[in-house]
Amino acid sequence: MRAAVLHTHGEPPSHAEHPDPVAGEGVSVVRVTAAPIVPLDLLCASGTSYFGPPALPYVPGVQGVGVVEESATVAPGTRVFFATSAGMAAGDGSLAERAAVPDRDLIVLDAPVRDAAVAAIGLSGVAGWMMLTWRARMQVGERVLVLGGGGAVGQVAIGAARVLGASQVVAVVRSDASRERALAAGADEVVALSTDVDELTARLGEPTYDVVIDSVFGVAATAASRALAPGGRLVNLGGSLNDEAVFSSAVLRSKTASILGYTNNAITTDQRRDALTAVLQHASTGEITVAYETVTLADITPAWTRQSTGNTVGRLVLTFP
């Protein structure tokens, strides 16, 4: 089969022939129709993640969309979303014509959303939804601040917050392109990121945010903690800006605020399925959107480089015609 094959840690994968996957007990083979290139793919392929360097060569891709070809548990022809452990454990991932997927990681798709759009939303959609509902326990009428509002998780969180009844959704972004994506996702207001924590705190205004969804950390999280309302909750998913942030004990105590961590690895398969199903239901009506562009397998090397440098109009999704 044709696949994106990584031969050297830290280098982009290349378009190459690769052995076909084999179905087995508890494992189905899926014909892939769309698969995104996500930050976790880039991290694992670098060989520097806490999972350790993956054995080479391998096919990256931790998620995708496709049609079941061989399975003992799911009818062939069933349209599915799937997750893989490529780069985190032995085995190949979704950036190929076919993928071997544990049955427990298959989610049957019913929502009338295009495969490429489902792939763009994917596990980012799960994270954005679960951070609001499961970790922050957001309530109707609360004000929500989304750090990294132009990213995939941020765009989902903006749309999801509106669906869940937020009274206002404000996004913090790094660029003009991110600003446009955040506004298209439904943000009421967009604030430009500053690396000066006092300046960013001033831009955020009065401390009235009940929930902060954070995928950037660093000074953005520090400023956001100052802008929390009493009883406010900051939920962190990642540290694309910096892996460390500074929090004032006096600020947190005076607000009885909470700093919470989140990872998709901590939720159950049922939670993942239910969250993705909910997000895609709202995506089918246009209430939740993620900007993306499609590329072909022949362009995997430049596409990988573009995604790693952020030189895109949104998430890059590999499609298989």
Side-chain angles (χ1 to χ4, degrees), residues 260-272:
L260 305 166
Y262 176 82
T263 171
N264 278 341
N265 292 332
I267 64 175
T268 67
T269 54
D270 286 345
Q271 286 176 307
R272 181 169 61 193

Side-chain angles (χ1 to χ4, degrees), residues 34-36 38 62-65 81-83 107 109 113-130 152-153 156 262 264 267 272-273 275-277 279-280 283 288 290 315 317:
V38 302
V62 297
Q63 54 187 296
V65 178
F81 172 86
F82 63 92
I107 298 176
L109 295 174
V113 181
R114 295 179 60 187
D115 288 3
V118 174
I121 293 169
L123 296 177
S124 295
V126 172
W129 186 267
M130 293 297 286
V153 172
V156 170
Y262 176 82
N264 278 341
I267 64 175
R272 181 169 61 193
R273 181 195 63 241
L276 183 62
T277 299
V279 169
L280 293 180
I288 293 178
V290 169
R315 174 145 288 171
V317 177

Side-chain angles (χ1 to χ4, degrees), residues 190-206:
V190 178
V191 175
L193 177 68
S194 171
T195 55
D196 183 296
V197 67
D198 293 325
E199 181 179 0
L200 182 54
T201 300
R203 291 179 184 178
L204 294 178
E206 295 298 318

Side-chain angles (χ1 to χ4, degrees), residues 1 19-32 65-80 82 93 96-103 106:
M1 68 174 181
D20 278 293
V22 178
E25 184 176 354
V27 176
S28 299
V29 170
V30 175
R31 176 174 58 80
V32 182
V65 178
V67 177
V68 172
E69 280 196 344
E70 299 179 61
S71 177
T73 59
V74 180
T78 301
R79 180 172 174 251
V80 295
F82 63 92
E97 290 181 311
R98 295 176 185 83
V101 183
D103 294 342
L106 297 173

Side-chain angles (χ1 to χ4, degrees), residues 146-186:
V146 179
L147 307 182
V153 172
Q155 292 171 74
V156 170
I158 290 168
R162 300 199 67 84
V163 165
L164 294 167
S167 60
Q168 185 180 29
V169 183
V170 177
V172 174
V173 302
R174 304 192 204 196
S175 67
D176 289 341
S178 293
R179 174 187 177 84
E180 294 306 312
R181 290 195 293 269
L183 288 171

